[in-house]
Each structure stands twice: as C-alpha cells, then as structure tokens.
DNA sequence: CGCGGCATGACAGGTCCATGACAGGTCCGC
DNA sequence: GCGGACCTGTCATGGACCTGTCATGCCGCG
C-alpha cells in the first residue's frame, strides 16, 4: 500500500510518514503542489493525505484537478480548525474524508486504513485466508489463533497479497507497494526475497503463494 | 497518561500538577486559552482539567471549540462555587465532569482517574494480568498478593501497558504518556530504560513485556 | 538443452534494542 | 541544613534482529 503525504510542514510530514511507515505503508512526501503533481503523475497511490494550506496553492485546487483528470484515488484532507466551512467544500470537491488539525496520529492511521479498506470494497477490518487471520489495525497475524511473528516488510507484503485474494499481483506492483522513493536503490529482487521468507513462515498455514511465471504472485488457499 | 491543566492561578496549577504527577500522570500546564490551544494542537491528552475563568476568555468557549473540532478528550471542569448555573452549561457543552472550587486534591485525583478509566471502557478500578494486581487509586502493585515496590515512573509505565492489554504501544506513545513538556530534554532512550527496569522487577509475575521491533512494546501473560 | 525468470542460502551493513555503570537531583530523617 | 538513600536519566557498549545484495542453482518453457 502506497501513500502520498502532501504537507509543507516538514516535521508534521515526517511524523505522519513515520507513523504510516510503522503501519506498513510505503510513504512519499511532497512539500508543495508542484511536487505532489509530479508524484501523482509518476506513481499510483492507494491514498493521498492532503493538506489544504500549501506554499504554492490550495490543496482543494489540486484535488479538483485530480478529479477532473479522472483520478479517483481516496483523498484524506487535513484542515485547520478555523477552516470549518472549508471542510464541507473539501467533501464537495471530492475528498473522501477529512481530519482537523491538530490530529492524533493513531486517528490518522485509522482513517487511512478505513479508506484503503473501503477502496477494496471490504467492510470487515480483518482479513482471513485458510488459517491465516490478519488484523491490520493491531499489526498482528495469527495462524490458527496463534500469533505469527512477521517483520514490517513481511507484514506489508502479506497485506498486499491478502488484500487481493485470488488476483495475481505483478512483481512491480508489489514493489511499488512495499518501497517508497526514499528506498530508491532497492533492487526488484527484494520482492522475491520477501516472497521466499513469507512462504517459509506461512508453511502449514493453509495458504500458499503461487508463482505465475512472468506475471507475478497470487495467494490462495490450499496447503 | 497525559493531562493538561488549564488554570491561570499558578499556585493552584502547580499544586494540581504536582498531585497528578505523584499519581503517575505526565502534566502540562497552560495559563490561558491561547496556551491551551497550542498544547492541544501539538499533543494528545487523556484528560483536560479546565478552569472556567481564564484571563483571555471563558473555558467553556474553549471546550465548545474543542468539541466542534471533533476532539472528544475527557474534560474535567473547575467551577467556582458562585457559578452554579455554569456547571449545568459546562456539562451541556460537553464536559465530562466538574469540580467545585475549592476542592480537595485527592478528590481531583480520583475524578481524573475515573475519567481515564471510563475512557478505557473499564468499570473495575483494578487492573490484573497474570499474577499482577495493580490498584491505580492506591498506587500499589501486588504480585501474587505481595506488594511490589515500584517507583513513580515504573508505575506509570506499567499503568500504560496494562491499560491496553494485548495492544502494542509505540515508544513515542509511551514517551508521551510518561513525560511532560517540562521534561523536554529527556531522550527517547529513557523508555527503553524503564522497560528494562520494569522487566527485571516483574520477573516471575506471570506477565512479560514483549518487544516488537520497530513497533513498540506489549504486555501479555506468560513467561 | 539453453535461456530467462525465479528460489534460496549466505553474508554484510545497518538499525533498533538491552543493559551495566555513572552522575546529578530529590526527598527524607535527623 | 546536612547526609544518605533512592530515584532519574545519560552514555556507551554489546547484541539481536531486520534488510537487501550477491551468487549459485533450480525450474519451466521453448
């Protein structure tokens, strides 16, 4: 899962990216609208966290231009407390949710999670497959009720796979969901590595990660 | 647990902060509404103790603007005896409890404790896990019935962990609950230190503090 | 049987964490 | 106020674990 954070206050942006990073999201940061446009043009995102006040314009303009361009990526607006009326506008302009600054990082995390969930058409917070039970909010994976220790990357990879059960996800797609621009020098081989590690840990879980040569990977039931 | 004390009489504010500090709360003090707004903007609180008469406005206005902004932090209002009618208003405005000045510090402490407990959805005053029995009001921890001497910080940390059983609490979250702005220069490493000390004292208590690399800590039974 | 894509063990570097030793401060009794 | 016990937080060191690269060998498909 990949998130773009558009926020000019560097400390806030970093804090948000760090929190989402802990939650397994790959985060890019854009400090102004120009950078945001560049990012969105090059990379697909699962969620955009968008501040309203930016040095080179209004976040709502960016949002409107996104929507006009047909981009339906879920957008979470950040509004200052004073901008009460702006919130309504934001929703009218196509934002999917908003959060009033200052906000609690846990709440932001929860809302981003809700947006990605809604996008996937799910209502249930937990994901299940075979004996695997994955709780994104608690960052816990259980196999047959027993917690399975996974590292952050392993968890992120599992989350991507389980979020599209039965679908084949290309290696590039997985790569984009796992690594942000900040991890620029990472090789594509890293995905294969984590697939291997995840397979080892998921042995005997009632689910397998199938390889589809030249296409990608797919998680499915069956031991 | 973190508390914001909004009160312009410095001596009262200090007394309140000292009392709550002894009880293991990390306390910040705001002398007026402007300072209170700044604090709430930067830091999440578990409880706000709010005086009505402040040099730059009415505490109830602050409370209303908090609620309008979606902030549901439990608020304990402090009212002078004369402001009888104001109390009703306060509750209408979204306060969770009120206390008439002058008040006994122990009563304030008890009410703050009640608010944090209610927030956590607990009814029972005591917390238990394994052989650990923690009584916040008495500030006593027993292991298998035998009192276990803990320092203030150790107790505060245990309280945070036991207040969210099964959940992983990030180091930053624990840090925010342990230290107030007055302890500004404290390093994040201090949390690790107290985790180590607490672990040592809790050895053989039927509970363990697990480390979740990059995520935080979690208390659980077993061990 | 040859090739490209994939799997996987081994390794190096880095990050995060654990913990002992120490110094300053606080609190308390005297 | 004085001394000592204890609490507090810093630092530094060592260790555990995570991460990604490399190299080697496998597999499947032509």
């Amino acid at each position: 899962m990949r998130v773009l954070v558009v926020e000019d206050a560097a400390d806030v942006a970093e804090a948000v990216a760090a929190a989402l990073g802990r939650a397994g999201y790959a985060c890019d940061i854009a400090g102004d609208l120009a950078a945001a446009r560049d990012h969105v043009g090059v990379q697909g995102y699962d969620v955009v966290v968008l501040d309203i006040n930016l040095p080179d314009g209004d976040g709502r303009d960016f949002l409107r231009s996104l929507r006009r361009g047909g981009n339906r990526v879920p957008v979470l607006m950040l509004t200052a407390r004073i901008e009460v009326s702006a919130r309504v506008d934001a929703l009218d302009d196509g934002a999917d949710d908003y959060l009033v600054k200052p906000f609690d990082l846990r709440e932001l995390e929860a809302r981003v999670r809700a947006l990605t969930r809604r996008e996937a058409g799910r209502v249930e917070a937990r994901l299940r497959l075979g004996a695997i039970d994955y709780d994104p909010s608690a960052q816990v994976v259980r196999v047959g009720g027993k917690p399975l220790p996974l590292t952050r990357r392993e968890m992120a990879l599992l989350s991507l796979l389980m979020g599209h059960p039965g679908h084949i996800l290309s290696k590039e797609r997985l790569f984009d969901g796992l690594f942000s621009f900040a991890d620029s020098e990472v090789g594509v081989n890293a995905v294969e590595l984590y697939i291997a590690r995840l397979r080892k840990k998921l042995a005997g879980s009632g689910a397998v990660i199938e390889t589809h040569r030249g296409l990608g990977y797919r998680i499915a039931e069956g031991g």
Side-chain angles (χ1 to χ4, degrees), chain A:
Chain A
M1 291 286 174
R2 190 128 174 186
V3 178
L4 177 62
V5 179
V6 188
E7 160 70 57
D8 61 324
D11 52 345
V12 176
E14 303 259 321
V16 168
L20 293 178
R22 263 202 303 276
Y25 294 93
C27 285
D28 295 324
I29 294 177
D32 52 35
L33 290 183
R37 263 186 275 270
D38 287 350
H39 279 77
V40 171
V42 174
Q43 172 68 46
Y45 290 94
D46 298 288
V47 170
V48 173
V49 176
L50 180 60
D51 191 15
I52 283 197
N53 287 311
L54 290 161
D56 58 349
D58 191 309
R60 284 168 294 174
D61 292 335
F62 176 66
L63 173 57
R64 270 194 294 271
S65 78
L66 262 188
R67 294 302 187 224
R68 267 203 308 273
N71 194 327
R72 325 238 331 117
V73 58
V75 170
L76 172 60
M77 279 293 227
L78 301 182
T79 74
R81 186 176 310 137
I82 310 165
E83 306 159 328
V84 183
S85 68
R87 291 185 227 162
V88 184
D89 295 357
L91 292 179
D92 284 346
D93 287 339
D96 300 86
D97 197 0
Y98 67 84
L99 203 49
V100 178
K101 288 211 264 189
F103 48 83
D104 188 305
L105 283 176
R106 283 166 290 166
E107 179 158 11
L108 177 106
E109 205 184 303
R111 283 169 188 264
V112 167
R113 216 161 30 232
L115 286 178
T116 59
R117 197 165 66 223
R118 188 201 297 177
E119 187 67 2
R122 287 182 286 126
V123 179
E124 176 70 67
R126 288 189 298 173
L127 289 167
R128 289 181 214 181
L129 185 74
I132 305 176
D133 189 330
Y134 169 47
D135 180 348
S137 77
Q139 292 276 294
V140 170
V141 174
R142 290 172 190 280
V143 172
K146 227 177 61 192
L148 179 69
L150 292 182
T151 70
R152 194 162 50 85
R153 293 271 201 242
E154 290 164 353
M155 191 104 60
L157 178 57
L158 180 65
S159 158
L160 286 170
L161 291 170
M162 290 185 70
H164 304 272
H167 282 224
I168 296 178
L169 298 178
S170 75
K171 218 184 304 184
E172 291 72 22
R173 173 85 190 281
L174 294 174
F175 183 88
D176 286 344
L178 283 179
F179 301 98
S180 67
F181 288 135
D183 313 303
S184 58
E185 66 296 340
V186 176
V188 184
N189 175 263
V191 173
E192 297 162 18
L193 175 64
Y194 281 105
I195 289 284
R197 285 178 179 157
L198 203 48
R199 273 183 180 146
K200 199 176 292 180
K201 291 199 178 178
L202 290 182
S205 69
V208 260
I209 301 175
E210 305 166 350
T211 300
H212 292 257
R213 258 181 107 75
L215 295 174
Y217 300 91
R218 169 174 174 266
I219 197 166
E221 287 194 59

